[in-house]
Every structure is written in C-alpha cells, then in structure tokens.
Amino acid sequence: MAMHLNIYLFMILMNFSLAFATRNLTNLSNEACVGDVSIGLSFGGYQEICPEAEAIVYSWVDKAVADDPRMAASLLRLHFHDCIVNGCDASVLLDDTPNFVGEKTAAPNANSLRGFELIDAIKSDIESLCPGVVSCADILTIAARDSVILSGGPGWQVETGRKDSRTASKTAANNDIPAPTSDVQTLVSKFQAAGLDLNDVVTLSGAHTMGKARCTTFISRLNGSADISSGIGPDVNLDFISSLQQLCLAADANAALAQLDLVTPSTFDNQYYVNLISGEGLLTSDQVLVTGDEQTRELVRLYAEDQEIFFEEFRRSMIRMGRLQPAGTDGEIRKNCRAVN
C-alpha cells in the first residue's frame, strides 16, 4: 500500500512540477552533444523497458528524506561529485579493488559523502523487477532530482541512458572537485574543464541552500584574513563569523557540523543567495561568489531577488550537468553499484 501511495504522489508531484518546466526544457532537450561527443540520452527512456523505475527511486528517496532531511542534500552532492569527475558514470559508487583505488577515499569524499546504502537499496529493488536495465548513474541522477522536489524545489524531466563506468579515479576526484576554499577563478576553471560555465557555477552552488558542512571545510572563513578574494574582508559579517568560531571552538572541528543555510536548512529555496549578500556564506567558495567577481555577484543578486528565475536556471544547469559523460563509450549496466560486473 505504501509503495502504491508513493508512486501516486510521485506522479502528482512530477505533473505539477513539469507544468512549470516544460517551456524551457524543450529547447534544452534539443542539444544533442557535449562538445563533440554525442551522449545518447533521452527523456522517458525507461517508460517502455522499466516503467516503474523512477517511481521506485522516488519512493525510497521520499522515505529517506522523511527520516533524515539532510539526506536530500547528501544525494544531490553525491550526484555532483560523480558528474564533475569524468562525467556522470557512477564511478563515485565503486568500492576499492585490487586493481584500482576508487573515489570514495579521495579528500573531497572521505568521511563526507553519504547515501551509498540508499542507492544500494534502490538498485536492488529495481533489479528485482528489471534486471540489467537501469544504470546506477541514472539512479543517482533521478535521486538528485527527487531530493530537490521533496525539499520544496523545482522538478524537471531527467534524461536517461547513462552507462556505468568500469573504473574510478581517486586522483581525478582529488584534482577535479572544487575545494571549499576555492576562489571564483578556480571554481570557473574546474567547471569549464568538466564542460560547464560560470552561470552553472553560481546556479549549482545554490544546492548549498540545504545540508551541513564540517568546521574543517570553512576554517578559512574564521582566520580573520583581509583578503576579499577569499570571502573575508571589509564587508564580512562579523556576527556570523563569531557564531561559527564559537561552534567550532566548542567542539571537535572534525566532527562539528554547521548548517549551510541557517534560515531554511532543509528547504530548497533561494535563501542561500540572500545569505551571501548578508555575508553569511558558510564556505569560502560560497562567499567569493559575492566578493570575488562582478559577474557572479550580479547572478547572486538576481537569484536572491527572484526565486523563480533561480529555479528555472537550476533545472537547466542540472540537465546540463547530467549530460557530462566520460570520454569513450566503454560502459555497462552494473548489477551491483559498488562493483563492476
């Protein structure tokens, strides 16, 4: 009964959300490639071969977010950390083997990424109905979309047809994922290397309207530096910095967590951008979007003033990120998301 109810609610939510998304997704869906590489994705790819796939993902994510609202941000981050490293190929899910060291122990991921067991459960459920059909990479992409919807954000159609990689790269994860201390130039450079642009930097950073971060990731915000390019300078919100110092000094900095958005921490909205204008960006890589570059600052102001514009651009950027694909076509549909077949 619960599964049927969740599927019914999923269809209502998607129909409602897509009513707002359709007009701009049409043009975006006509883009056939990233660079010169055709990616072979399509909307509604599982409707015929595994029609319950997306509803199953939604049902599991719905329960997980109800039990732990932070899981929505964790799934969104898991998808990002997968796609920014050699495309959306579920490489981030692979466990280490004697033949290679996976990405889970890379510095941006170790003791940080969450949601692996949930993806395992989703994959197992889908495999029982549609064996060898739905890729782990597509599950990650769908789960990220559902996390946004269930947190009050926009919905969009997810293109499917990704393949799962047969290998992973700890080195690429260490090098390609932007650090929380990054300046604007570094952020843009890493996004461009992956196939995204400055607009995507600002738009996808809006995912930090949910979730938490350890004190160790924003310690540079507390050091009193006068370097405005690092998000610390004459316009810094001293009360906010003081509150962070109290939090991190009163507990183990490796364990203490701060909300990325103190105002609406479990809601997907545009409050993140409002916070940046007030000097309350938690990470250096957040606050520099206001202090470090005029183009990014203007986008922050636009999104802070108009949530619907942010939602529309977030849909587009998520679809663009979902199209990032590794060089070559040597992929598979894993039976177990943690291991190659």
Side-chain angles (χ1 to χ4, degrees):
M1 177 65 73
M3 172 67 80
H4 292 303
L5 178 59
N6 281 329
I7 292 173
Y8 177 69
L9 291 174
F10 168 80
M11 296 306 299
I12 291 176
L13 276 169
M14 284 308 303
N15 288 336
F16 178 78
S17 298
L18 291 176
F20 293 94
T22 301
R23 71 176 185 276
N24 285 331
L25 289 181
T26 300
N27 291 333
L28 185 59
S29 66
N30 290 331
E31 299 174 11
C33 62
V34 174
D36 296 324
V37 181
S38 175
I39 60 178
L41 301 181
S42 63
F43 294 116
Y46 291 125
Q47 287 181 356
E48 296 296 328
I49 57 177
C50 191
E52 294 184 348
E54 290 197 41
I56 290 172
V57 177
Y58 180 87
S59 178
W60 278 99
V61 176
D62 184 24
K63 182 180 185 305
V65 172
D67 292 341
D68 175 12
R70 183 184 166 208
M71 186 55 70
S74 296
L75 290 171
L76 195 52
R77 186 164 177 257
L78 196 58
H79 175 52
F80 176 84
H81 281 223
D82 179 42
C83 293
I84 207 73
V85 179
N86 198 32
C88 307
D89 60 0
S91 59
V92 73
L93 301 179
L94 288 171
D95 289 337
D96 294 354
T97 76
N99 297 322
F100 68 86
V101 178
E103 297 164 19
K104 291 180 178 179
T105 56
N109 299 336
N111 301 313
S112 176
L113 289 184
R114 306 166 70 238
F116 296 111
E117 294 79 9
L118 176 59
I119 299 300
D120 291 340
I122 295 171
K123 177 62 172 175
S124 177
D125 205 355
I126 291 177
E127 281 292 303
S128 68
L129 288 178
C130 314
V133 169
V134 180
S135 69
C136 300
D138 279 347
I139 290 173
L140 278 179
T141 311
I142 297 166
R145 186 272 312 276
D146 292 349
S147 295
V148 173
I149 293 176
L150 288 163
S151 302
W156 61 92
Q157 286 182 292
V158 171
E159 291 176 305
T160 56
R162 297 165 190 81
K163 294 294 180 67
D164 299 323
S165 67
R166 292 189 171 95
T167 187
S169 174
K170 181 178 180 178
T171 299
N174 279 324
N175 293 336
D176 297 348
I177 299 171
T181 55
S182 298
D183 58 19
V184 172
Q185 182 179 4
T186 301
L187 290 171
V188 173
S189 176
K190 288 184 180 292
F191 271 63
Q192 286 179 337
L196 301 170
D197 60 23
L198 181 143
N199 278 31
D200 295 315
V201 169
V202 180
T203 304
L204 294 173
S205 292
H208 285 175
T209 191
M210 306 186 296
K212 299 180 180 181
R214 297 180 189 278
C215 288
T216 50
T217 64
F218 56 85
I219 198 72
S220 61
R221 294 280 280 136
L222 313 181
N223 63 13
S225 168
D227 181 4
I228 193 168
S229 68
S230 296
I232 307 292
D235 298 323
V236 69
N237 185 323
L238 295 178
D239 289 339
F240 178 64
I241 296 300
S242 177
S243 69
L244 295 179
Q245 289 172 334
Q246 292 177 22
L247 169 69
C248 294
L249 291 175
D252 179 358
N254 290 311
L257 295 169
Q259 300 284 1
L260 285 161
D261 172 11
L262 284 171
V263 182
T264 55
S266 298
T267 301
F268 192 96
D269 55 22
N270 69 334
Q271 184 63 44
Y272 165 81
Y273 300 102
V274 177
N275 295 344
L276 296 188
I277 292 172
S278 301
E280 296 179 339
L282 184 64
L283 307 179
T284 296
S285 57
D286 293 325
Q287 197 59 47
V288 293
L289 298 179
V290 169
T291 62
D293 182 88
E294 182 61 32
Q295 285 182 279
T296 59
R297 178 163 51 250
E298 288 307 309
L299 278 173
V300 167
R301 289 173 177 165
L302 174 63
Y303 294 162
E305 292 170 0
D306 195 322
Q307 180 167 276
E308 284 307 310
I309 290 178
F310 165 51
F311 278 8
E312 193 66 41
E313 291 305 309
F314 190 80
R315 293 181 182 108
R316 293 174 64 86
S317 284
M318 287 296 289
I319 291 174
R320 281 168 54 81
M321 183 172 73
R323 288 177 171 174
L324 301 179
Q325 191 178 56
T329 59
D330 185 26
E332 64 181 13
I333 307 296
R334 287 187 216 137
K335 300 175 183 178
N336 174 354
C337 290
R338 293 175 180 264
V340 299
N341 294 337

